Amino acid sequence: MVVKILTLFPQMFTGMLNESIIKRAIEDKKIDIDCIQIRDYASNKHKKVDDYPYGGGAGMVMTPQPLFDAHEHALSSLNNTKTEDKNKNDQIGECKKNSIRTIYMTPKGKVFNQDLATELSKESSLIFICGHYEGVDQRVIDTLVTDEISIGDYVLTGGEIPAMVVIDATARLIPGVVSNEESIVDESHSNNLLEYPQYTRPQEFRGMGVPGILLSGHHKNIEEWRKNKSLEITKNRRPDLV
Ligand code: ADE
């Protein structure tokens, strides 16, 4: 999967890209993640990327020009063709035709969940737009964006952390990214249930033991215990999932 991230703060992604499972997935060429600095595409002298909202009101709105140009660059690098030579309407049409999903991270979007992560993990490429200030000009959304996604009912300072959440949850579902595929099958949300409790050594720690059934070696009973625990935890914490 190839991921292009349009952002004003590419450095926010350095931690994510250089640690742990995502770092290994990049090294193993399972995923390629490229940050595109929106400001580099601003055509005005001062590289300004925001302006006052028409109609008044608080805050600033990200202007369309740098976003359209940065998106065009992302598309042409994904299509690996000389799209610079074509006119802009062709490129927008091509985006829709090729159905390269362009995701705008916004608290107004559809709330992200495991099903959506699974759906996105099947795409060969994704483009993310990270907004700041009071958001982006609506014409960007109307023309370029295929999906508006929120990571929850709260407001963050920008779309970078939400994009990282979506990319992380999606990337780990790409075959081969998480080495033990079993851990994806059993985990929370994989079948609309929260995961059962896990224990490891030592068998006794500060006076606390481990449920005897897990030490019994009786696989069928262990499976049943885990299923019951999953159901119990889900009913208690997330009755909406049951
Ligand atoms: N940008 C700001 N808050 C957000 C949220 N909750 N989800 C996605 N993008 C956001």
Side-chain angles (χ1 to χ4, degrees), residues 37 43 70 74 91-92 113 119 142 151 188 195 197 206 211 224:
Q37 169 56 272
S43 56
Q91 288 175 35
I92 291 159
N113 61 18
E119 188 187 311
D142 293 343
I151 60 159
S188 291
E195 201 190 11
R206 298 194 178 191
E224 200 175 308

Side-chain angles (χ1 to χ4, degrees), residues 37-38 48 69 115 126 134 148 156 173 192 200 225:
Q37 169 56 272
I38 298 164
K48 196 169 147 56
D69 284 11
D115 285 346
L126 294 172
E134 285 305 305
E148 291 181 72
L156 297 161
L173 298 176
N192 260 7
T200 186
W225 179 87

Side-chain angles (χ1 to χ4, degrees), residues 20-26 28 30-31 114 121 167-187:
S20 189
I21 292 171
I22 301 297
K23 179 187 181 187
R24 195 185 61 205
I26 294 167
D28 293 348
K30 302 276 183 217
I31 187 162
Q114 195 67 15
S121 71
I167 292 164
D168 191 277
T170 300
R172 62 188 291 287
L173 298 176
I174 296 170
V177 168
V178 172
S179 42
N180 182 0
E181 305 246 348
E182 287 247 314
S183 64
I184 287 179
V185 176
D186 261 5
E187 69 195 4

Side-chain angles (χ1 to χ4, degrees), residues 111 113 189 192-194 231 233-242:
V111 178
N113 61 18
H189 295 294
N192 260 7
L193 287 177
L194 302 182
L231 270 169
I233 292 168
T234 311
K235 272 188 205 156
N236 279 339
R237 295 186 188 174
R238 295 291 305 275
D240 56 304
L241 294 178
V242 181

